[in-house]
Amino acid sequence: NTRFTGIKLGPPIEVFALQKTFVDDPHDNKVNLTIGAYRTNEGKPWVLPVVRKVEKLLAADDLQNHEYLPVLGLDAFSEAATSMLLGPNSPVIAQGRAFGIQSLSGTGALRVAAEFLNRILHYDTFYYSIPSWENHRLVFTNGGFKQAREYTYWDEKTRSINLEGMLNDLRDAPENAVIILHSCAHNPTGCDPTPEQWTKIADVIQEKRLFPLFDSAYQGFASGDLDKDAYAVRLFAERGIEFISTQSFAKNFGLYNERVGNIVFVLTDTKELVEAKSQLTLIVRGMYSNPPNHGARIVATVLRNPELFEEWKDHIRTMSSRIKQMRVGLHHRLLKLGTPGTWEHIIQQIGMFSYTGLNEKQVQHLRDNYHIYMLRSGRINMCGLNESNLDYVANAFNETIK
Ligand code: PLP
């Protein structure tokens, strides 16, 4: 017997388990539609050229060193990231009512935000959409929240948002409940509220005094347009609602393993700003002390230099338009094959993911017979598709569904 005897085996994390099975699969035509990372038309990861360029500049700069960053990270990064989210002419920034702190990518941002909301503001109930990114629940529970609740989001029949269901669930939520919202490119459904729908959501949140937590993991990556993808967050800011938004630079900068994130706080009053920052400093100090430099330095350099910024915006257009092309390509092929069912949702959905509507049995069939890997829920990563495998995947879908 050791002290570790009796530890129970935790459940596998589906997306990573599938990734491993995929890598170990020797089949020639295997297709990976699981993990949420961008791939080129050649099926390869893409280091954005502007990122490579800045890395070389940084490597050649003898003034760079490896000293600790401050607990809340690089100011130059947080300021640039906050302005990217709220807009360069944001009134809340001009009024000094917004600030950002660096975090360990989007997940770390959510974890620190959860702990702040729970320990400092004493909120204990959070709501996440059904379905949602599967990590929201774990992060908020580990962050101290006692009550995990769900709100309606997806309508299986129409393959779109069930807005009435969502609004009803929000109306039933207790005051101060934290409502996790995906600011754009909802994961996994790829379905976002329209501007009119966002207005209705904001109305209920304001009326019922709920606390919105935006998770912004795909700004610019979704539509190719930074402003469009920040519509919801900016609407809430404009309406004078207080909120927190987490930001991830994993997808839009292709900096997955560098853990570059930011947490934006929007307050009504500047009075509590110093106090809030002091509490955040203690939370971070007791969790990981201070964040890493490399990725944040890259993002700050790009966002603050007009030429590099333009270059990067070109990259996000490249990525988002390739994804849109794959949507069109898959949709077109399924129609041509006469695959049973409606497929409009494939081209209407936005972002990296598509909720195909395939059921678990079909998903299993595709893996066993075609070596095509996707989540049990039928979610696929569009980036796994390319000109060389579109026909193969469309045919496999067709044969499976028929
Ligand atoms: N939130 C959503 C909705 C996501 O899809 C992801 C990544 O898949 C994240 C947050 C956080 O990712 P990361 O911690 O890599 O920034």
Side-chain angles (χ1 to χ4, degrees):
N1 257 10
T2 85
R3 292 181 189 274
F4 303 100
T5 304
I7 298 179
K8 285 209 217 68
L9 186 67
I13 296 164
E14 186 191 12
V15 66
F16 298 131
L18 274 173
Q19 173 73 10
K20 183 170 182 335
T21 324
F22 172 81
V23 170
D24 295 342
D25 184 341
H27 199 268
D28 279 342
N29 291 335
K30 64 181 178 177
V31 180
N32 189 357
L33 304 179
T34 59
I35 209 154
Y38 183 77
R39 294 289 176 265
T40 63
N41 193 43
E42 289 70 44
K44 296 275 189 301
W46 194 37
V47 179
L48 306 193
V50 74
V51 165
R52 199 55 108 198
K53 185 195 274 184
V54 173
E55 283 186 311
K56 285 181 182 155
L57 288 174
L58 293 176
D61 180 355
D62 287 333
L63 294 175
Q64 294 290 321
N65 57 41
H66 298 290
E67 295 297 294
Y68 289 121
L69 292 188
V71 175
L72 300 185
L74 273 179
D75 276 339
F77 162 76
S78 280
E79 278 168 26
T82 303
S83 154
M84 174 180 129
L85 183 76
L86 297 173
N89 305 314
S90 161
V92 294
I93 294 180
Q95 294 154 10
R97 296 196 286 112
F99 69 92
I101 67 165
Q102 193 184 327
S103 64
L104 304 184
S105 213
T107 307
L110 286 162
R111 182 64 163 76
V112 169
E115 207 155 313
F116 178 82
L117 290 167
N118 179 250
R119 294 230 320 259
I120 310 303
L121 301 191
H122 308 294
Y123 297 165
D124 72 346
T125 304
F126 72 100
Y127 278 68
Y128 58 99
S129 61
I130 286 297
S132 190
W133 180 49
E134 82 289 345
N135 208 13
H136 280 147
R137 189 187 163 106
L138 184 61
V139 169
F140 267 69
T141 307
N142 285 0
F145 275 75
K146 294 282 175 288
Q147 300 288 333
R149 303 221 184 124
E150 304 168 344
Y151 65 82
T152 303
Y153 193 76
W154 178 248
D155 184 351
E156 184 60 51
K157 250 205 257 86
T158 59
R159 291 186 182 160
S160 62
I161 299 175
N162 175 355
L163 188 76
E164 272 319 303
M166 175 175 178
L167 295 177
N168 283 334
D169 289 345
L170 296 188
R171 283 189 196 103
D172 288 343
E175 184 173 328
N176 296 334
V178 175
I179 313 297
I180 302 175
L181 301 162
H182 300 224
S183 60
C184 71
H186 184 269
N187 176 4
T189 66
C191 268
D192 289 340
T194 62
E196 295 71 34
Q197 291 177 325
W198 275 120
T199 298
K200 289 184 180 162
I201 295 166
D203 287 342
V204 175
I205 284 181
Q206 225 161 1
E207 210 173 288
K208 304 294 289 187
R209 297 188 46 78
L210 309 175
F211 189 90
L213 184 289
F214 282 103
D215 179 355
S216 178
Y218 299 96
Q219 191 186 354
F221 187 94
S223 71
D225 181 330
L226 289 171
D227 300 323
K228 211 166 160 184
D229 289 348
Y231 176 83
V233 176
R234 294 180 193 176
L235 171 75
F236 277 56
E238 212 172 276
R239 289 182 52 152
I241 302 175
E242 293 185 300
F243 64 86
I244 293 177
S245 179
T246 58
Q247 278 176 290
S248 166
F249 291 86
K251 327 275 161 157
N252 52 12
F253 267 85
L255 285 168
Y256 304 92
N257 68 9
E258 295 296 345
R259 313 313 287 149
V260 195
N262 189 45
I263 318 175
V264 175
F265 296 76
V266 174
L267 291 68
T268 306
D269 209 309
T270 52
K271 270 207 321 277
E272 280 78 29
L273 216 130
V274 175
E275 288 82 351
K277 275 195 181 176
S278 72
Q279 294 299 337
L280 287 161
T281 303
L282 291 176
I283 290 174
V284 171
R285 176 70 176 148
M287 202 189 294
Y288 55 81
S289 201
N290 43 63
N293 171 69
H294 184 71
R297 185 80 62 181
I298 295 170
V299 171
T301 307
V302 172
L303 294 183
R304 288 153 52 88
N305 175 308
E307 246 169 70
L308 298 174
F309 187 50
E310 287 309 313
E311 224 178 294
W312 173 64
K313 286 204 284 189
D314 209 47
H315 298 337
I316 54 179
R317 283 190 292 267
T318 300
M319 293 190 283
S320 60
S321 58
R322 194 184 94 68
I323 293 172
K324 284 181 208 156
Q325 276 168 19
M326 291 303 109
R327 290 186 180 283
V328 172
L330 181 62
H331 175 252
H332 174 75
R333 282 167 177 76
L334 292 173
L335 288 196
K336 215 164 122 200
L337 291 165
T339 309
T342 56
W343 299 102
E344 277 308 293
H345 58 284
I346 301 276
I347 43 176
Q348 273 156 10
Q349 292 164 351
I350 180 160
M352 182 182 265
F353 301 115
S354 184
Y355 223 42
T356 56
L358 294 176
N359 61 36
E360 261 190 76
K361 229 174 107 194
Q362 292 167 328
V363 168
Q364 189 66 42
H365 183 87
L366 281 162
R367 182 166 353 138
D368 295 343
N369 295 279
Y370 298 94
H371 304 262
I372 296 174
Y373 290 73
M374 62 179 86
L375 299 196
R376 258 196 324 264
S377 63
R379 185 195 86 170
I380 61 173
N381 173 9
M382 298 307 297
C383 304
L385 297 174
N386 53 55
E387 298 298 338
S388 323
N389 65 20
L390 258 181
D391 283 327
Y392 177 73
V393 171
N395 278 318
F397 275 24
N398 183 51
E399 313 244 302
T400 301
I401 294 163
K402 258 196 332 205

